[in-house]
Amino acid sequence: MNKTFIAVLAALPLFFISCIQEEMENTECDIESISLHKDVSLLKTFCFAECKNLQSIEIPENVSDIHSASFQECHSLKSITLPSKLTILST
């Protein structure tokens, strides 16, 4: 995943954004911070895995389910804002 991909994702009409797909192409991820749109409701398995430069992510209140290994190998991650409505946090 790269900055161009994120810019395109952010520009999509809101009704297209409801979940972050699993195993996104992110081996060259140079993103340091992510603030997900309020309409995102699901983070699938390995969605941000190996984003080694990711330092912080804001997960909106709409997210109720975070699948396993969503942040695997994100060793720089220092801050995660979790939603109060989170019901499933898979390990």
Side-chain angles (χ1 to χ4, degrees):
M1 181 178 1
N2 59 37
K3 291 179 184 176
T4 304
F5 177 79
I6 291 298
V8 169
L9 181 64
L12 288 173
L14 299 183
F15 56 85
F16 283 121
I17 303 172
S18 63
C19 74
I20 304 299
Q21 295 296 318
E22 54 185 89
E23 299 185 63
M24 293 171 61
E25 293 295 325
N26 54 19
T27 55
E28 308 237 349
C29 180
D30 57 354
I31 297 167
E32 295 180 359
S33 179
I34 297 172
S35 182
L36 297 175
H37 190 273
K38 64 182 178 105
D39 289 342
V40 172
S41 60
L42 170 65
L43 300 182
K44 290 196 172 185
T45 304
F46 301 116
C47 62
F48 295 109
E50 298 188 29
C51 279
K52 295 180 185 199
N53 294 320
L54 183 62
Q55 296 177 21
S56 66
I57 183 165
E58 291 181 35
I59 301 172
E61 284 297 315
N62 236 16
V63 173
S64 60
D65 190 348
I66 298 176
H67 288 191
S68 63
S70 294
F71 302 101
Q72 179 176 307
E73 301 296 324
C74 293
H75 299 296
S76 297
L77 192 57
K78 297 175 186 162
S79 173
I80 300 177
T81 303
L82 294 173
S84 60
K85 297 179 181 179
L86 186 64
T87 56
I88 299 172
L89 181 58
S90 302
T91 57

